Amino acid sequence: MTQRVDAFGARTFRLALAFALAISAATVAAFALIYFEVSRGDISRISVILTEEAQRSADAPQERLRDALAARQTRDIRRIDYLSLFNANGDLLLGNLAHMPPIPVDGRAHLLTAGQMESLGAAAQATIVVARRRADGGVALLGRNVQDIFEIENTLLRALALSLAPTIVAILAIGAFFARRSSLRLAHLHEAIARIMEGQLQSRLPAAADGDEIDRIAHSVNLMLDEIERLLDQLKSVGDNIAHDLRAPLTLARIKLDRALESAPEGASVYIEAAQTQLDRAAVTIAALLRISAVENGPREKHFRDVDLAEICAQAVEFYEPVAEAKSISLTSSLSGPLWIRGDEELLREAIANLVDNAIKFTGPGGTAQVKAAEVEGRPFVEVRDTGPGVDPAERDLIFRRFYRAAAVGGAAGHGLGLSIARTIAELHGFDLRVEDNAPGARFVMRAAAKASLASGLR
Amino acid sequence: MQPQSGDALGAPVLLIEDERDLALEIREELLGAGYRVECVQTLEAGLSAARRGEASVVIVDRMLNGADGLSLVETLRSEGNLAPVLVISALSTVDDRIRGLKAGGDDYLVKPFALPELSARVEALLRRGAATRATWIKVGPLELDLVEREARRDGERVDLLPREFKLLEYFMRRPGQIITRAMLLEDVWNYKFLPQTNVVDVHIGNLRRKLDSGDGRRFIVNVRAAGFKLDAES
């Protein structure tokens, strides 16, 4: 079950990962667009301008170029423009770039790196240059410093790296957060379902009022549970009311028979007493039924206080010892107390007495019954073993049902509700009551249920 | 059934029960046991009857035409009326019992009950004040030293297990009084339910065997349809 929830979390996380990748791709694409639009666009624009200017310069007379250079140098404070004129031998006639760069004289734009510019004796900054042959065989050279654009490019790349890395980290973190949150939510849902399956019908699934699809489903399930609970309550109260209403007539019937007994002729009293015995049986059954539903429904925790389970066992053993002796059963106990738990003493006494009663009832003469109370791994438990006929594996759950009496051991007296009451009481205290094989015999174990009751509900 | 002792004879009992049939039977039973019985059917009538302060014991049904008999007990207690109250009820949950006793009820009897159980409880309530606190009790030839935890019959020591001693003590504090199995379970062993096996009878049987000397005298005798009593006259 936990695995399923984890797998769900992993799926959510993978989704987040894919999302992160998509976001990265989109961001890179956006940056690439800006990059080409801004920098490459600029460079090609500059190249076109330079190419055109070079063409004009190649045709212009030397004096005009000199004036133009002078004018440019006055304007060009940042020294981003180059203009030089070389003769056919490559000697500088005029200009601010002393040496002819190693580019073909083809009137096209070429990019010189910062290093190449430095070796020409100019500022070490990337520059676009265009060389064009003049009519006199000389060369007109124009250049434009584009270092700024490269710097913008670098800034852009840096910005990309700087923004993408945290974005990816953030997306993955958010993905992990949601993955964890949804698996936690599912785990909570499973826990709630497990509780309900264990019989805590008043329990509900966690659902936010304005939540998502899961919340809406949980809400619907809760409405369904409300309805189921209402129907069960109705059913139960019908049963309880019947049991309850039978009490008054039973009381009266018994009393009338008492009266009849006082004046009955000798032969009739046997029958009257037999009838009373039957009435008493019915009364005990009704009392037990009402008691089970009272234990199940009553908010009894308010009576809980610290109770020593070992002491309760000791007293039950002492109470049943004479009966065991009379049946030649050896009733022993192994109690490592005190064993403090929070509980209702009266009910726990009843539950444990019922278990001991049951053990003695089903154990034959010469057999043994043992009551053990101890604590294992912080979980207190009570164990009642006997050497009776034991409980068939197929019946191990059935014997705790109301009115169920094991088929193989007919003839044993009792209203068949003792074990139901014991289990109901055990569950009220967060204990688990089970029967196991004692080889031979039965072994009833009442153990504090694990705190995480999740697993038991969804076997 | 005969009253078991002089102080119970003619003691006035107030019965507040709206179910006519049941009220008549209880009345009959209590009259037969020698009590004077006043029957009323409503909470209000019960309250004014109880306020006259004559009743030695008040028996009240918890459910009186929709009214809660416990409120009567609470009212009486708040007015300082300390007459012992036996609450009878069709509710059997432990909560109800606790509420009944908390409200000031002295005993709680759950329907269906046998009439002898009811009169045994009434008798116990009447005699409660008289129950001895002595550390040495003598009933007929039986003596109980509660300090030394020793029992004697005709001056001879009887070896008893602690649980048998406890049981005998309960009887010796209530000589001649009818004691039901439910009373023993509640008071001696602190069990508020009826076990399916006849545990109480086995305990009594064991105690009897140790007390009986072989001359045929029985100290703890069975009372038909009710329970047991310690025969004080023997």
Side-chain angles (χ1 to χ4, degrees):
Chain A
M1 208 281 316
T2 320
Q3 262 179 352
R4 239 186 293 151
V5 173
D6 285 351
F8 183 83
R11 214 154 52 232
T12 313
F13 187 74
R14 274 204 300 280
L15 209 64
L17 202 66
F19 187 58
L21 282 177
I23 290 279
S24 314
T27 313
V28 169
F31 268 94
L33 198 69
I34 297 169
Y35 183 85
F36 284 109
E37 278 296 314
V38 173
S39 64
R40 295 294 131 179
D42 265 3
I43 285 178
S44 60
R45 200 157 36 77
I46 290 169
S47 301
V48 169
I49 294 169
L50 279 182
T51 314
E52 282 169 7
E53 279 185 2
Q55 199 174 351
R56 280 199 300 276
S57 308
D59 302 334
Q62 198 168 330
E63 285 68 35
R64 256 188 65 198
L65 287 178
R66 190 187 301 273
D67 293 346
L69 177 65
R72 244 179 223 199
Q73 276 175 336
T74 338
R75 280 205 317 269
D76 182 23
I77 308 156
R78 284 166 59 216
R79 304 244 170 254
I80 58 166
D81 284 339
Y82 293 99
L83 176 63
S84 286
L85 207 59
F86 299 94
N87 64 15
N89 300 328
D91 299 325
L92 178 72
L93 295 176
L94 61 95
N96 55 359
L97 192 61
H99 303 283
M100 176 67 199
I103 54 162
V105 184
D106 53 5
R108 289 189 188 168
H110 296 277
L111 180 65
L112 293 181
T113 62
Q116 283 171 316
M117 288 303 287
E118 195 172 20
S119 67
L120 293 174
Q125 292 190 320
T127 306
I128 292 174
V129 287
V130 178
R132 199 172 173 102
R133 184 81 51 197
R134 284 168 61 84
D136 60 2
V139 174
L141 185 84
L142 276 95
R144 166 75 56 91
N145 181 334
V146 290
Q147 187 69 29
D148 280 0
I149 295 171
F150 277 95
E151 260 157 31
I152 288 173
E153 275 179 14
N154 285 338
T155 309
L156 270 175
L157 285 176
R158 257 202 319 278
L160 179 64
L162 279 178
S163 65
L164 207 54
T167 307
I168 291 174
V169 169
I171 289 173
L172 290 184
I174 290 170
F177 170 76
F178 278 108
R180 199 178 136 62
R181 211 179 71 138
S182 34
S183 50
L184 266 182
R185 265 179 78 192
L186 281 197
H188 286 321
L189 281 176
H190 278 296
E191 269 167 37
I193 290 171
R195 273 200 305 276
I196 293 162
M197 282 170 67
E198 276 167 9
Q200 293 181 33
L201 264 182
Q202 61 280 40
S203 200
R204 287 291 175 272
L205 304 187
D210 52 349
D212 54 12
E213 288 83 354
I214 294 183
D215 283 320
R216 280 206 291 279
I217 291 174
H219 187 65
S220 303
V221 171
N222 284 346
L223 288 179
M224 249 162 65
L225 285 170
D226 287 345
E227 184 62 14
I228 291 174
E229 201 186 357
R230 193 184 64 78
L231 290 173
L232 277 181
D233 275 354
Q234 224 169 42
L235 202 66
K236 216 182 267 175
S237 67
V238 167
D240 285 358
N241 287 341
I242 291 174
H244 199 268
D245 289 353
L246 280 177
R247 299 191 140 197
L250 273 177
T251 308
L252 270 176
R254 206 190 182 290
I255 289 168
K256 299 284 182 200
L257 288 175
D258 274 340
R259 291 268 168 269
L261 210 50
E262 279 166 16
S263 55
E266 198 55 38
S269 48
V270 185
Y271 297 109
I272 294 173
E273 276 169 3
Q276 281 187 323
T277 308
Q278 295 304 319
L279 281 181
D280 286 347
R281 271 186 58 184
V284 167
T285 301
I286 286 171
L289 269 180
L290 286 175
R291 199 156 168 69
I292 290 177
S293 78
V295 173
E296 274 178 350
N297 300 324
R300 298 197 41 89
E301 279 82 356
K302 61 173 186 263
H303 299 304
F304 277 17
R305 49 199 184 80
D306 291 328
V307 186
D308 181 1
L309 215 52
E311 178 59 26
I312 290 177
C313 290
Q315 290 178 9
V317 168
E318 197 194 16
F319 183 53
Y320 278 99
E321 227 160 26
V323 192
E325 274 168 25
K327 265 187 90 177
S328 303
I329 297 168
S330 129
L331 175 64
T332 60
S333 61
S334 149
L335 311 168
S336 45
L339 214 56
W340 295 105
I341 64 162
R342 293 288 295 174
D344 184 304
E345 183 172 355
E346 198 173 298
L347 290 180
L348 286 169
R349 293 176 70 84
E350 180 173 349
I352 287 166
N354 273 333
L355 292 182
V356 179
D357 194 286
N358 187 71
I360 288 172
K361 194 159 65 189
F362 287 106
T363 304
T368 59
Q370 197 200 22
V371 180
K372 196 171 158 186
E375 194 176 80
V376 171
E377 290 161 5
R379 291 160 63 188
F381 76 91
V382 173
E383 187 185 276
V384 181
R385 303 162 170 261
D386 63 55
T387 55
V391 181
D392 190 88
E395 290 183 315
R396 284 191 187 153
D397 240 2
L398 297 172
I399 56 164
F400 294 105
R401 293 209 184 147
R402 293 168 203 194
F403 299 117
Y404 188 83
R405 228 163 295 169
V409 274
H415 50 67
L417 287 167
L419 290 176
S420 301
I421 294 179
R423 179 175 254 189
T424 309
I425 293 172
E427 281 170 357
L428 176 74
H429 289 83
F431 278 68
D432 191 44
L433 178 59
R434 264 179 236 205
V435 61
E436 292 164 8
D437 197 357
N438 192 33
R443 178 166 164 256
F444 285 84
V445 191
M446 199 174 111
R447 189 185 286 121
K451 273 199 180 111
S453 57
L454 189 62
S456 62
L458 291 172
R459 280 181 290 258
Chain B
M1 191 173 302
Q2 293 306 304
Q4 302 306 315
S5 72
D7 56 355
L9 185 63
V13 175
L14 172 62
L15 171 66
I16 310 166
E17 168 64 73
D18 60 349
E19 211 176 306
R20 271 188 62 81
D21 257 354
L22 185 60
L24 284 176
E25 293 295 348
I26 292 176
R27 193 178 117 92
E28 188 109 336
E29 167 78 18
L30 292 176
L31 286 174
Y35 301 103
R36 286 192 286 125
V37 185
E38 184 185 357
C39 282
V40 295
Q41 283 171 6
T42 64
L43 198 71
E44 294 73 27
L47 200 56
S48 54
R51 278 178 176 145
R52 288 202 307 274
E54 287 163 4
S56 301
V57 173
V58 177
I59 304 173
V60 60
D61 196 322
R62 263 204 73 172
M63 288 196 282
L64 293 165
N65 282 327
D68 190 344
L70 283 189
S71 65
L72 174 130
V73 185
E74 279 162 350
T75 311
L76 286 183
R77 291 297 179 255
S78 69
E79 290 170 359
N81 187 326
L82 295 176
V85 175
L86 171 62
V87 180
I88 54 179
S89 167
L91 306 169
S92 71
T93 74
V94 184
D95 276 353
D96 288 316
R97 188 203 310 275
I98 291 171
R99 279 192 53 203
L101 297 182
K102 260 197 187 148
D106 298 274
D107 201 357
Y108 200 87
L109 193 57
V110 173
K111 289 181 194 173
F113 51 83
L115 285 177
E117 180 82 41
L118 178 87
S119 43
R121 303 273 179 158
V122 170
E123 190 186 354
L125 284 179
L126 275 171
R127 296 203 187 191
R128 206 178 43 166
T132 175
R133 284 191 176 76
T135 53
W136 187 83
I137 313 172
K138 183 167 167 36
V139 177
L142 296 177
E143 289 169 60
L144 215 55
D145 185 335
L146 295 165
V147 179
E148 298 293 324
R149 312 298 290 174
E150 245 183 40
R152 291 176 187 279
R153 188 201 57 236
D154 298 319
E156 247 177 86
R157 200 193 141 109
V158 182
D159 272 326
L160 295 179
L161 293 171
R163 59 171 181 249
E164 292 158 348
F165 190 91
K166 206 163 60 172
L167 185 57
L168 180 59
E169 181 189 340
Y170 188 81
F171 275 101
M172 293 205 33
R173 285 185 185 281
R174 295 158 186 81
Q177 189 181 322
I178 290 179
I179 290 161
T180 65
R181 288 175 181 80
M183 285 162 76
L184 287 173
L185 281 165
E186 280 177 32
D187 299 340
V188 179
W189 293 290
N190 196 19
Y191 284 116
K192 306 274 192 315
F193 72 104
L194 288 173
Q196 297 170 37
T197 33
N198 57 342
V199 199
V200 176
D201 294 82
V202 177
H203 276 279
I204 298 278
N206 284 357
L207 180 59
R208 266 184 191 147
R209 261 195 302 286
K210 292 203 176 171
L211 291 180
D212 293 352
S213 53
D215 56 6
R217 262 193 309 177
R218 300 203 103 190
F219 298 102
I220 298 174
V221 297
N222 278 30
V223 180
R224 196 175 60 88
F228 315 92
K229 69 172 181 180
L230 180 65
D231 198 341
E233 311 306 319
S234 56

